[in-house]
Amino acid sequence: MNTALPNNATQQEGTVGIVQPQIFRCDHPITLQCGKTLPHYELVFETYGKLNAAKSNAVLICHALSGHHHAAGFHGSDDKKPGWWDACIGPGKAIDTNRFFVVSLNNLGGCHGSTGPKSHNPDTGKPYGPDFPIVTVRDWINSQHALMQHLSIPHWAAVVGGSLGGMQAMQWAIDFPDQVRNAVIIAAAPKLSAQNIAFNEVARKAILSDPDFCEGHYYEHDKYPRIGLSLARMLGHITYLSDAAMREKFGRELRDGAKSFDFEVEFQVESYLNYQGEVFSKNFDANTYLLMTRALDYFDPAEEHDHDLSKALARAKARFLVMSFTTDWRFSPERSQEIVEALLAARKHVSYADIECPQGHDSFLLNVPRYTNLFKAYMNSIALDGEH
C-alpha cells in the first residue's frame, strides 16, 4: 500500500512514498525440513507498485541474513531512513515500480513481525525462544509460495535477492520452475565455504556464551544477549566490507588524534564497529540470528543431486542474471562463476557480470552506477517481455 510522500522525501527522486506493512496468516500447517510442523504462521510483507491486469509483472524480493520486509519507501513522515534496498526499488530505479508489482517479506523465523522465536508458542503459552524449529531456505520458499497464492499471483516475473536472498532466488527456480520467469542472483554462492561456516559458528558462539542469553529464554527474564549479539554483528560487518573500503573510510585514524595507551576504543574503525554492534543488538533478535546463520550453513541444492549443481538446476525454466563484485571476499566472484558454469552445463539462459566496485559484499545494497544500470537494463527487458 502506498500513500503520500513523507515531508523529508518529497525531494527524493524515485521513492515509493509511505508504505504500510501487511500480514498474511496461513492457517494451514507447514511441515519443515527438520521434521517439525507449525500449525499456522504469519508473514509480514509490503508491496510497491500495482499488479497489472494480466498479473504478469510481480517481482518477489528475498532478503539477506539481517534483512526484513521493509525494502523501500518510508513508514511515516518522520522517517529519516528508507527501506534497506531503496537504492534499487522505486519509480525509475532498477526494479521500477511504475512497471512492476513488488512484494517484499520478512522470512519465517524472522524478528520483524513474521512468526519466529519471539512469537507465542501455543504449546507453552510463552514465546518460542530456542524451541522455534530450525528453518531452511526451502522452508522459506514454501512459505513464500503460500503468500504468492494468497496474493493470487500465478507466476513471478522475477525472484530477486542478494547474498542469502540470492540463494532463495535459486531455490525458487529449482522448486517451482513453472512459476519463476527470471531469477536474479546477486553476490551469492551455491553453498557456503568452510570458512563462511566458520564465521557463522564464531558469531553463534559469541551469542550462546553471553550470560544474558539464558539458553535462549531471555525474553522471560526481560534481558537480551547484548554483548554476544554485538560481537556477532561486528564480526559479520568486517566480512561485508572490503579491505579497500575500510581503508578508505577509516584508515588508521584515531578518534582523539593521539594514543591513550590502554584498551579503550581508540581507532575510528573500532568506534564504527562498536556502534554498529550496539545498534544491531537493540534491533535484532539473537534467536533469529542463530536461525538465519544455520539456514545459510545448510543451503546446498546440489547435495541431493550427487553434489552436482547442474543436475539441481536442470529443472529450472527461468532465465538467470548472476552478478558479483570484484572486492567481495565473503562471496567471491568465483562462487558466482560456479553458479554460472552449472547453469551453462544445464543449458540454461544466463547473463553474468562481475562488477568492479571497492565496497565489498555490501555493494549489492548500494547505488553503484555500473551495477544499478546493468540491473535496470535486465529488469527493463523483463518488463518489455511481460508487456508483449
Side-chain angles (χ1 to χ4, degrees), residues 249-260 262-275:
K249 192 169 186 175
F250 308 109
R252 290 179 49 84
E253 291 181 22
L254 294 162
R255 292 176 67 194
D256 300 322
K259 298 183 179 72
S260 59
D262 58 27
F263 297 107
E264 297 301 315
V265 173
E266 290 190 73
F267 291 90
Q268 291 285 9
V269 67
E270 293 175 320
S271 177
Y272 171 78
L273 288 174
N274 275 277
Y275 172 77

Side-chain angles (χ1 to χ4, degrees), residues 81-291:
K81 194 174 180 181
W84 59 268
W85 218 10
D86 201 74
C88 291
I89 301 172
K93 296 181 182 178
I95 304 174
D96 189 346
T97 50
N98 288 328
R99 311 180 83 170
F100 293 109
F101 175 67
V102 182
V103 179
S104 177
L105 79 160
N106 182 215
N107 279 340
L108 188 66
C111 56
H112 292 90
S114 292
T115 299
K118 293 168 67 176
S119 303
H120 176 84
N121 182 346
D123 294 333
T124 65
K126 299 177 181 179
Y128 277 101
D131 298 325
F132 194 83
I134 297 291
V135 289
T136 66
V137 170
R138 176 163 282 162
D139 295 329
W140 289 337
I141 303 317
N142 288 333
S143 64
Q144 291 165 11
H145 186 260
L147 173 61
M148 177 189 191
Q149 292 176 314
H150 168 73
L151 295 172
S152 299
I153 294 171
H155 59 261
W156 299 111
V159 179
V160 183
S163 193
L164 177 55
M167 296 174 178
Q168 293 170 67
M170 191 190 315
Q171 193 74 58
W172 257 104
I174 293 169
D175 288 356
F176 295 99
D178 293 318
Q179 293 174 289
V180 182
R181 294 210 321 264
N182 292 270
V184 180
I185 302 168
I186 310 168
K191 61 183 176 183
L192 287 198
S193 64
Q195 183 187 56
N196 270 311
I197 293 173
F199 281 131
N200 285 344
E201 173 58 12
V202 174
R204 286 192 294 267
K205 188 63 70 176
I207 293 170
L208 295 168
S209 302
D210 190 315
D212 287 339
F213 182 65
C214 302
E215 298 184 329
H217 296 286
Y218 46 88
Y219 317 110
E220 300 166 35
H221 301 279
D222 195 27
K223 57 176 66 173
Y224 65 98
R226 179 182 64 83
I227 294 174
L229 193 53
S230 293
L231 288 172
R233 182 59 172 178
M234 290 167 71
L235 173 66
H237 214 75
I238 292 169
T239 70
Y240 303 149
L241 299 174
S242 70
D243 180 50
M246 295 186 82
R247 184 170 61 249
E248 181 180 346
K249 192 169 186 175
F250 308 109
R252 290 179 49 84
E253 291 181 22
L254 294 162
R255 292 176 67 194
D256 300 322
K259 298 183 179 72
S260 59
F261 295 97
D262 58 27
F263 297 107
E264 297 301 315
V265 173
E266 290 190 73
F267 291 90
Q268 291 285 9
V269 67
E270 293 175 320
S271 177
Y272 171 78
L273 288 174
N274 275 277
Y275 172 77
Q276 291 293 330
E278 185 68 24
V279 170
F280 185 77
S281 72
K282 294 176 181 177
N283 296 311
F284 206 83
D285 180 61
N287 282 318
T288 287
Y289 197 91
L290 299 177
L291 285 175

